[in-house]
Amino acid sequence: MRNYDAIVIGTGHSGLIGAFYLARAGWRVLMLERRDLVGGTCVTEEIFPGYRGSSVANASHSLDPQIVRDMELARFGLRFRHPELGSLTMFSDGRALAPWRDRERRHAEIVKFARSERDPDGFYGVLDFFRTVARQMDVSFYDPPPSFASVAARFRTPSQQRAFEQVMFGSVADILEEHLDSPELQAFFAGTAVATNLVGPRTPGSAYLLLQRPLWEESMRRAGTQDDNDLMMRNGAPLGGIGAVTGAMAASCRALGVEIRTGAEVTKVLCEDARATGVVLADGTELRARRVLSNASAKLTLTRLLGPADLGEELYRQAEAISVKGSSAKVHLALDGTPRFAAATSAAENELFLGTNFRVAPSLEVLQHAYAEAVAGRWTDRPTITGIIDSAHDPSLTPSGCHFVSLSVRGVPYHLAHGTWEEQKDDLGKAVVATLEEHIPNLSQVLADYHVYSPLDLEREFALPEGNGAHGDIVPGHIFDSRPMPGCAGSRTPVPGLYLCGVGTWPGNFMSGVTGYNAARHMLADA
């Protein structure tokens, strides 16, 4: 039996990044993936015959540029297009807010939606508010997670304390309404604040997610890797869909000698003499290593791959209590033709809209209603939707003249008050199509097929607990040294030799890759 220096559970982007840095340091690394495809939730798949696209995760604009350079992803085939427009937010009256990269053009767009004289300045006032809080917070995503108390102590003046309390204990609606009168401009920000989290815009703590990007910007600025962008977003679309990113990462790992096995489900982390020594596969195979790195969710790792005897009764109970409330579903569309956005004023503008991340988030009220329904175990027939059309950048993904649309649907409960997901997911798909057709009037004419992943499907197929793509909401109480839980923060676990690198660990931050980078650094330091 071959012994490894490290075994990595799961081949999501963070696991691949962790494996790369370990292998670059000379470690013998084995990666194990339960599915037959490398990439975790960051995969490009053929959902319909001849139609391929990003099936779960959509966006990679947070990817750490230093990681991209270190892994030489361009050398391994990764190519990006950088569209002129980074996002599009669509409203019930048929209009849409397009925040152009050019500041003058963007200002004119904002003025179109202003309801008062303060709205244009208020739009940038919201951005400045969160940047100011991020700078005062003085937190680096590359450092070990701080305590809540130590961060709070950095806000010393009355105005600083108020800002901190607004973000941590107030709601995003409170902050937005303090700066803006326009319902559309409020919805532009609120749609981001409630993405992935089971919160509404009026839920206490719902503002924190808007702080995540400026905190990341500050972390990269200190590291010398930051490209300033006054909308706090990079516009980058990987050719080949999101799976092109993890595909290049896997190739980079293999070039360093990393062994990657698919169809290899890990069912247990082996522990001997109170430390992790390897894993057991579903077929009973035992594999040994000096260190184990889990890219699976923290809750799954700590409660299913370990037992109370491994973790200790108290910490095991705490791990079982990690909150991972589901709030998302996925809907995929196969289009036999080109969608036409109602808000597009010309064919050229429609072409730009095709290549951007678009969102249906009409107002604070619609977002709050979706949350209230989800809490009650229902999904609204007017869901909040974010989507991307990979084939707009890479026509090779679909038949000629056709498109693949990947939609993330928010405010969708894992636990239904009545019925089952097998009974309801087709109706959810129809509701999503009907909602989107209000903004893409020719949708029914070009729709060839649709496919739905319910929150339960996401859990079963991709090991996402309750379908939660963040492995647990990124909100106060689940950040800093409480992510994933007190006593097990960051990548190190109470079990020597076992480390975590999934998005459920601090700092979360979706597809930045920083959790994998940090885990590898800690493993190398502990060796």
Side-chain angles (χ1 to χ4, degrees):
M1 180 187 299
R2 183 180 182 187
N3 286 335
Y4 297 90
D5 294 307
I7 290 175
V8 182
I9 303 170
T11 61
H13 71 284
S14 291
L16 289 163
I17 291 165
F20 167 82
Y21 284 104
L22 295 176
R24 193 175 72 165
W27 286 28
R28 296 188 305 278
V29 181
L30 170 66
M31 301 193 74
L32 301 169
E33 169 60 50
R34 63 190 290 271
R35 302 184 78 224
D36 293 326
L37 182 65
V38 169
T41 60
C42 300
V43 288
T44 300
E45 295 186 280
E46 186 177 56
I47 300 292
F48 314 97
Y51 288 78
R52 300 177 64 245
S54 302
S55 63
V56 184
N58 286 344
S60 61
H61 53 71
S62 292
L63 192 59
D64 189 322
Q66 186 59 53
I67 291 173
V68 173
R69 288 192 289 270
D70 286 347
M71 297 187 76
E72 299 182 274
L73 298 184
R75 181 164 78 89
F76 292 101
L78 182 60
R79 298 290 183 272
F80 283 95
R81 285 192 62 187
H82 299 281
E84 182 179 351
L85 182 62
S87 70
L88 183 74
T89 301
M90 300 183 290
F91 307 113
S92 300
D93 61 3
R95 295 188 300 165
L97 174 61
W100 304 101
R101 284 193 289 178
D102 177 79
R103 191 177 178 106
E104 288 187 10
R105 189 176 185 184
R106 188 191 320 136
H107 179 75
E109 187 79 2
I110 293 167
V111 168
K112 285 178 6 185
F113 291 94
R115 299 291 182 93
S116 68
E117 292 183 357
R118 74 184 188 127
D119 275 338
D121 288 337
F123 182 91
Y124 291 100
V126 172
L127 293 170
D128 290 340
F129 171 84
F130 284 99
R131 282 198 183 96
T132 300
V133 173
R135 285 192 293 268
Q136 188 65 34
M137 192 167 282
D138 194 27
V139 168
S140 172
F141 284 0
Y142 299 106
D143 292 339
S147 69
F148 191 94
S150 68
V151 173
R154 297 166 191 170
F155 292 79
R156 299 179 181 88
T157 69
S159 63
Q160 290 172 351
Q161 290 175 353
R162 180 175 184 270
F164 179 77
E165 290 167 358
Q166 281 182 295
V167 171
M168 295 297 166
F169 309 122
S171 73
V172 71
D174 293 335
I175 294 172
L176 296 176
E177 289 171 344
E178 189 171 303
H179 289 83
L180 296 164
D181 295 313
S182 165
E184 293 83 7
L185 297 181
Q186 292 170 357
F188 170 81
F189 289 107
T192 298
V194 302
T196 77
N197 287 338
L198 184 56
V199 297
R202 299 196 183 281
T203 305
S206 57
Y208 176 79
L209 203 57
L210 282 180
L211 192 63
Q212 193 79 351
R213 183 69 203 188
L215 284 173
W216 181 223
E217 297 272 346
E218 289 297 313
S219 298
M220 289 190 291
R221 184 171 289 111
R222 294 178 191 176
T225 61
Q226 168 57 17
D227 298 325
D228 284 327
N229 182 323
D230 60 3
L231 273 176
M232 297 187 292
M233 179 179 289
R234 287 186 177 87
N235 301 342
L239 300 185
I242 202 74
V245 179
T246 49
M249 288 179 173
S252 179
C253 286
R254 288 187 175 108
L256 290 177
V258 174
E259 181 182 346
I260 301 177
R261 299 185 196 177
T262 57
E265 181 179 1
V266 175
T267 57
K268 181 176 176 56
V269 172
L270 286 171
C271 293
E272 298 174 358
D273 298 324
R275 67 172 295 110
T277 58
V279 301
V280 180
L281 303 185
D283 64 5
T285 301
E286 293 188 5
L287 299 166
R288 302 282 175 166
R290 294 189 301 111
R291 302 282 191 277
V292 176
L293 175 61
S294 180
N295 194 187
S297 79
K299 186 167 186 175
L300 185 155
T301 302
L302 298 174
T303 63
R304 287 174 52 185
L305 303 186
L306 294 176
D310 304 315
L311 197 59
E313 292 284 352
E314 182 179 349
L315 282 175
Y316 188 84
R317 286 195 299 270
Q318 193 170 315
E320 287 186 309
I322 293 174
S323 177
V324 288
K325 296 182 179 70
S327 61
S328 299
K330 290 291 301 188
V331 176
H332 309 102
L333 309 179
L335 304 185
D336 185 13
T338 301
R340 306 292 178 187
F341 288 84
T345 58
S346 66
E349 191 168 74
N350 193 74
E351 191 73 16
L352 288 173
F353 289 178
L354 290 174
T356 190
N357 292 281
F358 60 84
R359 178 168 61 202
V360 179
S363 66
L364 296 177
E365 289 69 28
V366 169
L367 294 169
Q368 187 67 24
H369 176 70
Y371 163 71
E373 289 292 277
V375 169
R378 301 184 294 265
W379 46 270
T380 173
D381 58 2
R382 296 181 63 80
T384 301
I385 303 165
T386 60
I388 195 167
I389 307 175
D390 293 319
S391 50
H393 299 290
D394 187 350
S396 70
L397 293 171
T398 59
S400 178
C402 299
H403 286 288
F404 178 98
V405 186
S406 179
L407 303 171
S408 297
V409 189
R410 310 302 185 191
V412 181
Y414 174 83
H415 298 284
L416 292 170
H418 304 287
T420 68
W421 268 118
E422 285 306 308
E423 297 167 341
Q424 294 192 27
K425 69 178 184 179
D426 189 63
D427 288 337
L428 174 64
K430 291 176 181 176
V432 168
V433 169
T435 299
L436 193 57
E437 192 163 24
E438 296 177 8
H439 307 278
I440 302 177
N442 73 329
L443 186 59
S444 291
Q445 300 169 31
V446 298
L447 181 63
D449 204 355
Y450 64 90
H451 168 268
V452 180
Y453 279 136
S454 71
L456 182 60
D457 293 327
L458 292 172
E459 180 178 76
R460 289 171 173 170
E461 182 66 23
F462 297 95
L464 289 176
E466 296 198 12
N468 189 307
H471 295 183
D473 287 354
I474 304 176
V475 293
H478 300 282
I479 55 175
F480 306 148
D481 62 354
S482 292
R483 189 167 187 85
M485 68 180 193
C488 183
S491 56
R492 293 183 175 96
T493 74
V495 178
L498 176 63
Y499 298 78
L500 303 172
C501 69
V503 72
T505 60
W506 169 258
N509 212 38
F510 307 109
M511 203 181 172
S512 66
V514 69
T515 54
Y517 173 78
N518 287 345
R521 285 194 304 140
H522 296 156
M523 293 173 75
L524 292 169
D526 294 346

